[in-house]
């Protein structure tokens, strides 16, 4: 990604770094996950999508430092100084670092190990804050958290042993395409909202689902993935561009995230999916 094409957009985002009252898009109370749609975690991921790197701007470099300030001794990331350690937050943090070219940092590796050590017995990842035994569906892993984790781990040089474990996570998401039922403590399901194309990537959604899974060889030839891909293809226009249905409201001023319009950046991700199918 050539960041020079997006210089004005990157600068506009950097200029808004105090938008939520705290440092580097965090909230005044230090929360880096709120507000939904324009948080530190999401902004760093979007900056990486635009081609920025962890050392390309002072503000980004210091925002990465803020991210690591929220890392615990065992490698997990918190969204605030007092929050629980959640796989979805750690996955989003590591995915952002990966997009910014910081995945090789030894502190990031500690986060990857924390995630791999916490993989749930059905292959995915689950928030441990909700007690077990409420129902089989609630006891299951969270598909949304699993998607964030798989997004993060695609930036890592995984061992064969790790790849076998990730195969279980991929299968859990492919299986969810079949069942579509709400799963995990946060009840992630697949319904009409899931099937509307969202960009930037910020929650469990058809486009994000297809994009992440396209990076895993196991998924590419699977009939369930192909079905999801065809449903995503239906959102392209006659020129092969991907049209965004529901971007986060805070991003709609940017050309790459306008509602019911083709997005150059999203189309490049769509083309990346096509390229992954041939590898």
């Amino acid at each position: 990604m050539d960041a020079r094409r997006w210089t004005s957009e990157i600068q506009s985002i950097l200029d808004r770094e105090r938008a939520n009252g705290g440092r580097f898009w965090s909230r005044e109370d230090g929360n880096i996950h709120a507000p939904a749609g324009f948080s530190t975690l999401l902004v760093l991921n979007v900056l990486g999508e635009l081609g920025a790197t962890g050392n390309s701007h002072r503000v980004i470099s210091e925002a990465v430092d803020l991210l690591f300030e929220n890392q615990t001794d065992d490698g997990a990331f918190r969204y605030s100084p007092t929050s629980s350690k959640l796989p979805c937050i750690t996955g989003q943090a590591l995915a952002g670092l990966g997009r910014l070219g910081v995945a090789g940092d030894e502190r990031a590796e500690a986060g990857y190990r924390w995630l791999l050590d916490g993989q749930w017995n059905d292959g995915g990842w689950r928030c441990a804050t909700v007690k077990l035994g409420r129902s089989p569906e609630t006891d299951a892993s969270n598909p949304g958290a699993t998607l964030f984790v798989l997004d993060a781990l695609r930036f890592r040089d995984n061992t064969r042993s790790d790849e076998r474990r990730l195969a279980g996570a991929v299968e859990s998401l492919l299986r969810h395409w079949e069942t579509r039922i709400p799963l995990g403590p946060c009840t992630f399901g697949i319904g009409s909202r899931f099937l509307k194309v969202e960009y930037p990537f910020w929650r469990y959604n058809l486009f994000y689902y297809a994009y992440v899974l396209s990076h895993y060889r196991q998924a590419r030839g699977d009939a369930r993935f192909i079905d999801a891909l065809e449903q995503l293809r239906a959102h392209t226009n006659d020129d092969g561009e991907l049209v965004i249905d529901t971007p986060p409201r805070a991003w709609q001023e940017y050309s790459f995230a306008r509602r019911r319009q083709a997005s150059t950046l999203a189309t490049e991700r769509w083309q990346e999916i096509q390229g992954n199918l041939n590898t």
Side-chain angles (χ1 to χ4, degrees):
M1 176 67 67
D2 185 355
R4 290 173 297 181
R5 291 188 303 148
W6 302 101
T7 299
S8 61
E9 287 84 357
I10 291 172
Q11 189 58 54
S12 172
I13 296 167
L14 298 181
D15 290 343
R16 297 173 63 187
E17 60 101 357
R18 299 290 299 190
N20 299 322
R23 296 183 296 154
F24 311 115
W25 309 282
S26 68
R27 209 165 58 180
E28 193 171 0
D29 60 3
N31 190 313
I32 63 172
H33 183 52
F38 203 79
S39 65
T40 304
L41 286 171
L42 180 55
V43 167
L44 289 179
N45 273 276
V46 174
L47 287 170
E49 288 279 285
L50 292 168
T53 63
N55 59 7
S56 58
H57 300 81
R58 176 196 59 81
V59 171
I60 300 176
S61 177
E62 293 182 8
V64 168
D65 290 340
L66 173 62
L67 206 59
F68 281 121
E69 287 177 22
N70 283 271
Q71 188 175 29
T72 62
D73 291 340
D74 58 5
F77 287 81
R78 300 181 187 272
Y79 62 81
S80 74
T82 59
S83 72
S84 300
K85 295 180 288 188
L86 306 174
C88 58
I89 298 300
T90 300
Q92 289 175 75
L94 290 171
L97 293 172
R99 286 181 168 85
L100 292 167
V102 192
D105 189 293
E106 62 182 12
R107 294 169 294 179
E109 177 58 24
Y112 288 129
R113 292 312 321 170
W114 182 82
L115 287 172
L116 288 166
D117 290 344
Q119 188 172 14
W120 194 234
N121 55 21
D122 63 4
W125 277 266
R126 180 187 189 278
C127 300
T129 56
V130 177
K131 293 182 179 180
L132 297 172
R134 294 176 61 183
S135 72
E137 292 77 19
T138 304
D139 291 349
S141 61
N142 279 342
T146 302
L147 188 64
F148 283 126
V149 173
L150 285 176
D151 189 14
L153 281 161
R154 69 187 178 86
F155 291 102
R156 181 176 181 263
D157 186 14
N158 299 301
T159 66
R160 287 190 177 183
S161 174
D162 293 335
E163 287 177 352
R164 287 194 292 270
R165 297 173 66 178
L166 294 181
V170 171
E171 173 57 30
S172 74
L173 291 185
L174 293 172
R175 188 167 56 246
H176 195 220
W177 182 259
E178 293 180 287
T179 67
R180 307 200 173 202
I181 60 176
L183 291 177
C186 296
T187 60
F188 287 95
I190 292 179
S192 59
R193 186 174 68 177
F194 175 93
L195 297 173
K196 293 180 179 178
V197 172
E198 295 181 349
Y199 191 78
F201 300 131
W202 70 300
R203 59 184 177 184
Y204 195 52
N205 175 261
L206 174 64
F207 185 20
Y208 194 19
Y209 178 94
Y211 177 73
V212 171
L213 287 181
S214 76
H215 288 83
Y216 290 87
R217 188 180 303 276
Q218 174 190 351
R220 294 172 196 153
D222 192 284
R224 295 164 292 185
F225 171 75
I226 293 171
D227 185 28
L229 197 61
E230 290 308 306
Q231 294 209 32
L232 180 58
R233 191 186 307 278
H235 293 265
T236 58
N237 61 21
D238 292 340
D239 294 322
E241 300 169 311
L242 197 65
V243 176
I244 306 305
D245 297 319
T246 54
R249 184 175 301 175
W251 293 95
Q252 290 186 41
E253 68 182 79
Y254 295 100
S255 63
F256 56 82
R258 288 181 180 153
R259 190 167 180 253
R260 296 178 182 170
Q261 292 187 27
S263 164
T264 300
L265 204 54
T267 298
E268 290 178 2
R269 294 293 165 265
W270 167 246
Q271 292 168 344
E272 186 178 344
I273 294 172
Q274 307 306 306
N276 288 341
L277 299 180
N278 298 320
T279 59

